[in-house]
């Protein structure tokens, strides 16, 4: 069953003569339990696509359905509650609150929930030990490194056991060891909890953790690759090949 | 690009920042200009002639106003620069010299000032008409207000704001000179207040702050009693302890208590904690000074407004104390007046009180502190009226044998030297002694102040009264007045009152005392003319202090509002994040309301408390009634604060809405 369906999604920034069409009609379906990667050159609209899929941004045209519910036409309040209960976010620029400690930041999505403190504490301890940030819990964001911020952001995304996780360049600021740890962790959550994950990345290694990779170019889906029964190394090689066919500078997001 | 082009470009881009500063400037000019225009207005000068001190009062007030304006504009400018620190840094980054940046900003400021002064003067002229009408109404002066563009006022305002501009330019130049690029970019980042471990120091400092405030309050309650030996020193101590204490409470207790609370949550915050508690803690170090200032200014302006309102409010109630009836006549002089009223068919009520005198020893009813003031001579006169006459005012009162009540004991006197019933009082007349038990002391005004000369009245059983009257007919002591008649008109209109006022004078009913040759005549005034006289005497003072109070209130309210506006701008990013991860606008707004409850509520609450104790310590020097004027001004302040808080919340609402 498809957990996410996007039909003819268009997104235009700016008005009239300044208008820039970033997404030019995207059709997309994601099955429950999939780990989908989105790749593409910088400025190709990856972040924009993620934002419209997860209801943070509005589409100009077309529609998006999550769990059979059409986002367009849903009330702002219902959408927000939906995001809070069903979705998890790992943002490119972390999006941590400066005034909160790491622990408070991670527990933020639960601040209006009825989950008992002990259960929340258990989830938190599990996550931070997997992500290796147990000893910075009482620090503030301006006292920790970029990688630690990203892992905090990941912990916050997963604390509410979301059915769909959106991750924008989650490994962008991490060294390869931490990046692998985080990706392993995402895979594990994907498998063990059958959580669906959509991850934007420009890193072929990161993409090779996915079960399917979409390539975005000029606002359209250029092609997609399935991992199938291939090993990770084979899949990685295939991604690299597609990237080189696709061209364009790949360096950053 | 030429400098002027650059200026216009950057002004255009920064309209939102300017708007606030520009508004603050216009507001200050309007306030100042309308006040100065008022000061030089002909009808106002004519109306305030009665009180000889009006013009010097106006002048003193305009200096005060200048300080308010100075402080307010400097503060607004400070916020303005802070909000633009990034832009200023950017100019330097693209290679502008500091000299050029300074000139650029100076140019902008001159433009802003010219605009604000022009607009402010026009608005000021309009509002001064309104203020003039209010003032004349206060003075009960019937005149059509014609407002003219006063040259003196224009010159005055131009000079004041010219000087202000120079000060601001110097301040700006100084700031641009001494700042490094890095510090400019970081200027909008606040100092961070967090106490990681349970620490004794802030707890002690906070406790000391609280102790200081309580001590100051205590000193204020005994300021005008026998316990205070040096009045000036006491006032200084009270001011120092309450202001210092307030700062310590803001600087240490608040963050400390909030932090303790936060620690108990062990990281599991709810949304209100996230939106209200943590930002407040985060900013407390930087905000303590301004919150203290705002609290103190609120308290001062509230106290000033209340005291002036007390005197205004008391203008009629103290007139009622002075003249407890519309018209009062003594010793039978009312006869021709009453005849005239009947002839004219004017309805009225009349009450007659028989009077006699006795003596008593002050030392028997007042405490030692007070007795010291009389320097040994403690024998005093008391006015006596019989119970049956008193029944005209209060028919319920009953006296057993040997009982009496004291009435007409109010205001200043009753505050400085209170009498607690029940108490024994022995009336004396030469060798005779009449021991009485006072069962009640009240402040009902019965006789004209001019008749009692400030003394209280003892209401006794008729038999006692008769005994004293007999004694006085043999050997008269004390008061000479034998009888007072109070006359109140029933259902009279304005015209009738004017007519009766004439009759009152023509018939000579207003004569209190006339020497045999007729060379000295003491007269009573009707209650209405007493009110008018009081209003005229206090009207200007009341108006200027109320004006200043209002200026203070608006300035502090605006500062809180401006402060919150820039805080909201700085926190827009947090709201964006919170909305992204699924919090609704309503949920965020609820947290923001809690935050505003703190930001506006705490300075208001402490300010109200401070002003309450300030007013309580000496209100009786200003009038006869504290509770109602205090409640009314406090309500007014609370309402104004609610207005400012709502403005703030609606600004936050906009920011939250735009955040995503
Ligand atoms: N809020 C916005 N307003 C206007 N243009 C935007 C906005 N966000 C993104 N863009 C433009 O849309 C394009 C795609 O941006 P983005 O989705 O961030 O790309 P990517 O994440 O793939 O690097 C870019 O050209 C960017 O300039
Ligand atoms: Mg991106």
């Amino acid at each position: 069953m498809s957990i996410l369906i996007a039909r003819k999604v268009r997104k235009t920034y700016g008005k009239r003569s300044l208008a820039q069409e970033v997404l030019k009609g995207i059709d997309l379906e994601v099955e429950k339990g999939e780990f989908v990667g989105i790749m593409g050159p910088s400025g190709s609209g990856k972040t924009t696509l993620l934002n419209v899929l997860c209801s943070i941004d509005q589409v100009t045209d077309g529609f998006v359905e999550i769990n059979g519910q059409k986002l367009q036409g849903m009330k702002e309040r219902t959408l927000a509650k939906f995001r809070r209960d069903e979705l998890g976010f790992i943002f490119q620029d972390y999006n941590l609150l400066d005034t909160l400690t790491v622990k408070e930041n991670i527990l933020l999505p639960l601040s209006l929930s009825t989950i008992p403190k002990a259960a929340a504490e258990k989830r938190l301890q599990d996550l931070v030990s997997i992500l290796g940030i147990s000893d910075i819990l009482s620090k503030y964001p301006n006292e920790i490194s970029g990688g630690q911020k990203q892992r905090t952001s990941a912990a916050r995304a997963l604390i509410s056991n979301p059915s769909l996780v959106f991750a924008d360049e989650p490994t962008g600021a991490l060294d390869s060891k931490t990046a692998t740890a985080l990706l392993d962790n995402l895979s594990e959550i994907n498998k063990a909890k059958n959580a669906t994950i959509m991850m934007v990345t420009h890193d072929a290694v990161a993409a090779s953790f996915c079960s399917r990779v979409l390539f975005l170019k000029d606002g359209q889906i250029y092609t997609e690759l399935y991992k199938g029964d291939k090993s990770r190394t084979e899949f990685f090689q295939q991604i690299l090949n597609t990237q080189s066919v696709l061209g364009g500078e790949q360096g950053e997001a | 690009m030429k400098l002027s082009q650059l200026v216009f470009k950057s002004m255009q881009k920064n309209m939102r920042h300017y708007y606030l500063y520009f508004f603050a400037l216009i507001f200050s000019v309007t306030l100042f200009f309308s006040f100065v225009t008022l000061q030089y207005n002909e009808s106002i000068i004519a109306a305030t002639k009665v009180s000889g001190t009006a013009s010097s009062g106006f002048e003193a007030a305009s200096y005060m106003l200048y300080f308010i304006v100075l402080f307010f504009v400097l503060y607004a400018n400070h916020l303005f620069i802070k909000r633009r620190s990034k832009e200023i840094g950017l100019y330097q980054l693209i290679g502008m010299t500091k000299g050029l940046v300074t000139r650029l900003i100076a140019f902008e400021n001159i433009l802003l000032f010219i605009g604000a002064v022009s607009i402010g003067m026009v608005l000021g002229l309009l509002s001064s008409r309104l203020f003039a009408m209010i003032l004349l109404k206060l003075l009960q002066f019937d005149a059509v207000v014609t407002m003219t563009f006063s040259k003196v006022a224009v010159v005055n305002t131009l000079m004041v704001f010219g000087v202000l501009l120079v000060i601001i330019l110097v301040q700006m130049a100084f700031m641009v000179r001494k700042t490094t690029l890095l510090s400019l970019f970081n200027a909008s980042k606040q100092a961070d207040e967090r106490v990681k471990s349970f620490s004794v120091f802030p707890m002690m400092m906070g406790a000391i702050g609280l102790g200081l405030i309580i001590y100051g309050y205590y000193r204020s309650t005994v300021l005008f009693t026998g316990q205070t030996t040096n009045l000036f020193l006491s006032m200084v101590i009270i001011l120092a302890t309450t202001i210092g204490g307030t700062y310590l409470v803001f600087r240490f207790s608040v963050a400390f208590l909030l932090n303790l609370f936060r620690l108990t949550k062990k990281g599991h915050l709810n949304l209100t904690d996230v939106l209200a508690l943590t930002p407040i803690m985060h900013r407390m170090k930087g905000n303590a000074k301004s919150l203290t200032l705002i609290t103190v200014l609120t308290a001062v302006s509230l106290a000033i407004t209340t005291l002036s309102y007390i005197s205004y409010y008391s203008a009629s109630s103290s007139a009622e104390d002075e003249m407890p009836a519309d018209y009062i006549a003594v010793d039978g002089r009312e006869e021709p007046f009453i005849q005239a009223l009947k002839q004219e068919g004017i309805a009225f009520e009349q009450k007659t009180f028989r009077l006699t005198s006795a003596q008593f020893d002050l030392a028997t009813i007042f405490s030692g502190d007070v007795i010291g003031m009389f320097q040994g001579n403690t024998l005093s006169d008391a006015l006596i009226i019989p119970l049956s006459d008193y029944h005209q005012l209060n028919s319920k009162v009953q006296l057993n044998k040997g009982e009496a009540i004291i009435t007409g004991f109010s205001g200043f006197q009753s505050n400085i030297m209170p009498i607690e019933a029940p108490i024994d009082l022995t009336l004396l007349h030469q060798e005779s002694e009449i021991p009485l038990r006072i069962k009640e002391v009240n402040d009902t005004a019965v006789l004209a102040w001019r008749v009692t000369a400030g003394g209280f009245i003892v209401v006794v059983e008729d038999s006692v009264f008769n005994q004293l009257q007999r004694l006085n007919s043999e050997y008269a002591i004390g008061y000479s007045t034998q009888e007072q008649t109070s006359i109140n008109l029933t259902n009279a209109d304005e015209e009738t009152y004017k007519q009766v006022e004439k009759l009152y004078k023509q018939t000579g009913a207003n004569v209190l005392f006339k020497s045999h040759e007729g060379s000295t005549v003491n007269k009573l005034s009707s209650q209405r003319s007493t009110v008018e006289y009081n209003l005229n005497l206090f009207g200007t003072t009341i108006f200027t202090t109320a004006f200043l109070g209002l200026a203070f209130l608006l300035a502090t309210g605006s500062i809180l509002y401006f402060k919150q506006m820039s805080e909201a701008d700085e926190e827009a990013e947090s709201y964006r994040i919170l909305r992204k991860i699924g919090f609704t606008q309503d949920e965020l707004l609820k947290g923001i309301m809690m935050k505003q409850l703190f930001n506006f509520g705490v300075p208001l609450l402490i300010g109200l408390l401070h002003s309450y104790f300030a007013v309580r310590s000496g209100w009786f020097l200003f009038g006869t009634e504290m509770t109602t004027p205090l409640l009314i001004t406090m309500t007014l302040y609370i309402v104004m604060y609610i207005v400012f808080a709502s403005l703030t919340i609606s600004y936050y609402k906009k920011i939250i809405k735009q955040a995503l």
Side-chain angles (χ1 to χ4, degrees):
Chain A
M1 176 210 138
S2 297
I3 188 168
L4 184 144
I5 300 171
R7 289 279 176 265
K8 298 196 174 56
V9 167
R10 292 175 180 276
K11 176 72 189 175
T12 312
Y13 283 120
K15 285 195 182 95
R16 271 170 263 137
S17 62
L18 290 172
Q20 177 198 6
E21 191 168 45
V22 178
L23 300 178
K24 300 171 181 168
I26 304 262
D27 283 303
L28 180 70
E29 281 180 34
V30 177
E31 301 299 314
K32 182 143 185 59
E34 262 194 303
F35 188 170
V36 181
I38 301 173
M39 296 194 78
S42 175
S44 57
K46 304 182 294 290
T47 299
T48 308
L49 175 62
L50 214 60
N51 283 346
V52 298
L53 290 182
C54 70
S55 80
I56 284 178
D57 209 345
Q58 278 87 44
V59 299
T60 313
D61 201 15
F63 67 87
V64 179
E65 262 182 37
I66 295 180
N67 279 338
Q69 286 177 284
K70 204 162 155 183
L71 301 185
Q72 284 65 41
M74 237 156 126
K75 281 216 184 77
E76 204 268 348
R77 191 170 315 167
T78 338
L79 271 181
K81 192 159 163 35
F82 181 73
R83 284 204 289 278
R84 191 162 77 216
D85 296 343
E86 303 287 331
L87 310 182
F89 303 93
I90 309 174
F91 299 101
Q92 197 169 358
D93 44 0
Y94 324 125
N95 282 349
L96 301 177
L97 294 188
D98 294 334
T99 53
L100 301 186
T101 62
V102 166
K103 180 173 180 182
E104 288 163 351
N105 260 299
I106 296 173
L107 288 169
L108 189 57
L110 300 184
S111 63
L112 279 182
S113 77
T114 50
I115 295 171
K117 252 190 187 181
E121 190 70 29
K122 170 95 177 43
R123 276 195 212 172
L124 175 98
Q125 292 305 338
D126 287 352
L127 277 170
V128 295
S129 70
I130 293 173
L131 291 164
I133 45 172
S134 317
D135 44 357
I136 55 162
L137 287 183
S138 60
K139 291 221 158 107
Y140 284 83
N142 61 358
E143 300 169 327
I144 60 178
S145 72
Q148 289 170 323
K149 283 185 201 171
Q150 193 59 284
R151 281 179 280 169
T152 305
S153 171
R156 182 183 65 188
L158 300 172
I159 193 84
S160 56
N161 282 340
S163 57
L164 185 52
V165 177
F166 292 93
D168 193 355
E169 302 279 358
T171 57
L174 304 186
D175 59 81
S176 63
K177 192 167 149 261
T178 335
T180 312
L182 179 62
L183 287 163
D184 275 333
N185 187 236
L186 285 177
S187 304
E188 191 190 314
I189 286 164
N190 168 242
K191 289 197 188 84
K193 299 189 169 161
N194 203 26
T196 316
I197 299 177
M198 291 197 74
M199 176 176 77
V200 165
T201 181
H202 66 266
D203 176 13
V205 181
S208 68
F209 279 80
C210 301
S211 53
R212 169 160 64 122
V213 178
L214 303 170
F215 290 87
L216 214 59
K217 195 183 178 189
D218 297 332
Q220 279 173 317
I221 295 180
Y222 177 78
T223 184
E224 56 183 355
L225 297 177
Y226 281 89
K227 188 175 179 192
D229 296 328
K230 290 188 275 289
S231 74
R232 238 184 64 203
T233 347
E234 284 170 335
F235 194 40
F236 170 67
Q237 201 53 51
Q238 199 181 2
I239 293 168
L240 278 187
N241 294 341
T242 316
Q243 262 187 318
S244 62
V245 174
L246 209 69
E249 87 280 30
Q250 301 286 336
E252 26 104 42
Chain B
M1 216 183 318
K2 276 199 308 208
L3 182 66
S4 56
Q5 277 177 303
L6 204 64
V7 171
F8 280 118
K9 260 237 150 65
S10 92
M11 280 182 99
Q12 239 174 9
K13 273 186 124 174
N14 285 286
M15 219 48 214
R16 223 162 55 89
H17 297 290
Y18 282 110
Y19 149 78
L20 230 177
Y21 182 50
F22 195 49
F23 167 78
L25 274 178
I26 292 177
F27 168 73
S28 308
V29 177
T30 307
L31 212 60
F32 192 78
F33 184 67
S34 64
F35 192 78
V36 185
T37 304
L38 212 61
Q39 195 181 341
Y40 293 108
N41 183 267
E42 307 249 305
S43 14
I44 300 299
I45 293 174
T48 53
K49 251 193 221 133
V50 183
S51 69
T53 53
S55 65
S56 58
F58 264 123
E59 212 171 301
S62 67
Y63 287 125
M64 279 290 278
L65 197 58
Y66 185 50
F67 276 108
I68 300 175
V69 163
L70 178 85
F71 152 80
F72 180 59
V73 171
L74 282 182
Y75 188 82
N77 184 50
H78 169 74
L79 271 185
F80 181 54
I81 296 183
K82 216 171 90 179
R83 286 176 131 201
R84 294 184 62 203
S85 64
K86 265 202 180 127
E87 183 201 339
I88 294 173
L90 213 63
Y91 287 151
Q92 295 186 41
L93 202 65
I94 60 168
M96 278 193 193
T97 62
K98 283 190 172 174
L100 190 62
V101 174
T102 311
R103 261 183 296 156
L104 185 93
I105 298 173
F107 200 71
E108 275 178 17
N109 258 287
I110 293 169
L111 281 184
L112 283 175
F113 262 74
I114 291 173
V117 169
S118 326
I119 298 175
M121 279 192 182
V122 173
L123 293 178
L125 194 68
L126 296 177
S127 59
S128 73
R129 206 189 141 84
L130 177 77
F131 287 129
M133 288 192 316
I134 294 173
L135 175 54
L136 291 180
K137 185 136 183 74
L138 278 176
L139 298 175
Q140 304 207 327
F141 198 87
D142 290 323
V144 184
V145 197
T146 48
M147 291 316 292
T148 42
F149 211 69
S150 150
K151 261 191 208 141
V152 197
V154 173
V155 172
N156 229 322
T157 308
L158 284 181
M159 255 167 52
V160 160
F161 282 88
V163 171
L164 194 53
L165 177 62
V166 172
I167 296 176
I168 279 177
L169 291 183
V170 170
Q171 189 197 23
M172 292 268 236
F174 197 70
M175 267 196 63
V176 174
R177 254 186 78 121
K178 80 167 189 201
T179 43
T180 62
L181 265 181
L182 203 67
S183 69
L184 273 176
F185 279 104
N186 290 333
S188 54
K189 278 210 178 116
Q190 283 280 339
D192 201 348
E193 174 72 12
R194 66 187 98 105
V195 193
K196 287 217 175 92
S197 55
F198 188 82
S199 148
V200 187
F201 178 73
M203 197 166 71
M204 281 211 354
M205 293 309 280
I208 290 174
L210 214 61
L212 283 178
I213 293 179
I214 291 171
Y215 178 70
Y217 284 174
Y218 166 71
R219 287 293 292 252
S220 81
T221 58
V222 297
L223 185 62
F224 289 104
T225 63
Q227 287 186 44
T228 304
T229 44
N230 185 335
L231 197 64
F232 180 73
L233 186 72
S234 275
M235 285 177 169
V236 171
I237 290 175
I238 290 168
L239 278 179
T241 49
T242 44
I243 294 175
T246 308
Y247 176 72
L248 291 180
V249 164
F250 275 126
R251 176 69 185 78
F252 296 103
S253 314
V254 173
F256 176 76
L257 289 177
L258 293 183
N259 198 55
L260 270 191
F261 176 72
R262 185 179 186 175
L263 286 178
T264 63
K265 294 248 171 169
K266 293 200 169 63
H268 300 259
L269 304 182
N270 62 37
L271 196 58
T272 309
D273 302 333
V274 173
L275 287 162
L277 186 99
T278 61
I280 289 169
M281 275 177 65
H282 193 66
R283 293 171 186 276
M284 208 56 223
K285 195 172 165 186
N287 284 355
K289 251 188 254 152
S290 59
L291 280 177
T292 308
L293 196 67
I294 284 165
T295 304
V296 171
L297 287 183
T298 306
V300 169
S301 62
L302 188 55
I304 292 175
T305 323
T306 307
L307 290 178
S308 70
Y309 189 48
I310 285 178
S311 28
Y312 182 71
Y313 189 88
S314 308
S316 48
S317 77
S318 67
E320 275 163 37
D321 273 356
E322 283 171 45
M323 283 294 289
D326 287 346
Y327 306 94
I328 284 177
V330 296
D331 296 337
R333 293 200 180 89
E334 71 277 5
E335 280 311 324
F337 180 50
I338 287 175
Q339 288 306 321
L341 287 180
K342 281 181 180 157
Q343 232 162 40
E344 298 289 333
I346 297 165
F348 66 94
E349 271 174 4
Q350 138 185 31
K351 296 185 183 92
T352 299
F353 301 94
R354 288 164 287 159
L355 317 174
T356 190
S357 306
Q359 288 185 309
F360 71 102
D361 187 359
L362 289 167
T364 57
I365 52 170
F366 292 120
S367 68
D369 289 342
V370 177
I371 290 308
M373 300 194 280
F374 294 97
Q375 294 163 340
N377 180 15
T378 59
L379 212 56
S380 180
D381 295 331
L383 261 175
I384 316 292
I385 63 172
L387 178 64
S388 59
D389 287 357
Y390 186 69
H391 275 158
Q392 297 173 92
L393 293 175
N394 185 345
S395 56
K396 287 197 206 80
V397 178
Q398 291 303 330
L399 294 178
N400 292 324
K401 193 155 177 49
E403 280 183 344
I405 63 175
I406 287 178
T407 189
F409 190 61
S410 62
F412 180 69
Q413 231 186 357
S414 61
N415 272 284
I416 297 212
M417 25 192 232
I419 305 174
E420 296 285 341
I423 191 167
D424 289 323
L425 174 73
T426 303
L427 294 181
L428 310 168
H429 188 281
Q430 291 180 291
E431 270 73 57
S432 318
E433 290 188 9
I434 306 172
L436 292 172
R437 179 110 184 125
I438 304 296
K439 67 168 201 175
E440 181 192 324
V441 178
N442 70 44
D443 58 2
T444 315
V446 181
L447 303 179
W449 204 81
R450 295 283 302 274
V451 171
T452 65
F456 56 69
I457 300 156
V458 185
V459 181
V460 298
E461 297 162 86
D462 285 29
S463 60
V464 175
F465 179 82
N466 292 336
Q467 184 190 349
L468 280 167
Q469 211 174 29
R470 211 167 40 243
L471 287 169
N472 272 309
S473 67
E474 287 158 15
Y475 182 85
I477 57 162
Y479 294 87
S480 63
T481 313
Q482 298 297 307
E483 191 189 86
Q484 174 191 299
T485 302
S486 305
I487 294 160
N488 281 310
L489 302 190
T490 39
N491 301 324
D493 56 17
E494 204 56 40
E495 277 309 304
T496 320
Y497 272 112
K498 276 193 185 133
Q499 186 193 352
V500 174
E501 180 77 37
K502 274 195 205 116
L503 291 176
Y504 182 52
K505 285 177 184 159
Q506 276 165 9
T507 55
N510 63 341
V511 173
L512 175 67
F513 168 80
K514 196 179 200 167
S515 63
H516 285 299
E517 318 86 67
S519 55
T520 36
V521 184
N522 281 341
K523 284 180 182 160
L524 293 164
S525 326
S526 70
Q527 196 180 74
R528 298 202 133 214
S529 45
T530 310
V531 172
E532 255 167 53
Y533 180 80
N534 284 353
L535 286 180
N536 257 312
L537 202 61
F538 300 127
T540 324
T541 324
I542 292 155
F543 176 79
T544 47
T545 45
F547 192 95
L548 287 178
L550 185 76
F552 261 125
L553 174 62
L554 291 176
T556 49
S558 309
I559 285 174
L560 270 175
Y561 177 50
F562 292 174
K563 235 180 139 46
Q564 282 308 306
M565 271 173 113
S566 56
E567 226 175 275
D569 289 345
E570 281 166 30
E571 270 160 30
E573 177 60 18
S574 304
Y575 305 141
R576 196 170 68 84
I577 297 169
L578 287 166
R579 283 194 61 194
K580 271 187 184 175
I581 62 175
F583 293 102
T584 67
Q585 297 184 40
D586 293 343
E587 284 159 356
L588 296 188
L589 210 58
K590 257 185 227 146
I592 294 304
M593 283 176 183
M594 290 305 289
K595 183 173 149 181
Q596 296 320 324
L597 194 67
F598 174 88
N599 277 319
F600 285 87
V602 171
L604 178 65
L605 189 74
I606 301 184
L608 286 178
L609 263 178
H610 282 4
S611 70
Y612 168 73
F613 280 96
V615 167
R616 218 187 79 150
S617 72
W619 67 274
F620 39 80
L621 300 176
F622 294 83
T624 54
E625 167 78 43
M626 174 178 88
T627 321
T628 317
L630 186 67
L631 283 182
I632 290 176
T633 27
M634 280 185 165
T635 311
L636 189 77
Y637 265 63
I638 294 172
V639 169
M640 289 298 281
Y641 261 76
I642 290 175
V643 169
F644 277 114
S646 325
L647 280 176
T648 306
I649 289 173
S650 72
Y651 186 78
Y652 268 92
K653 197 172 174 179
K654 205 175 84 191
I655 293 285
I656 290 174
K657 192 168 176 200
Q658 288 169 351
L660 196 64

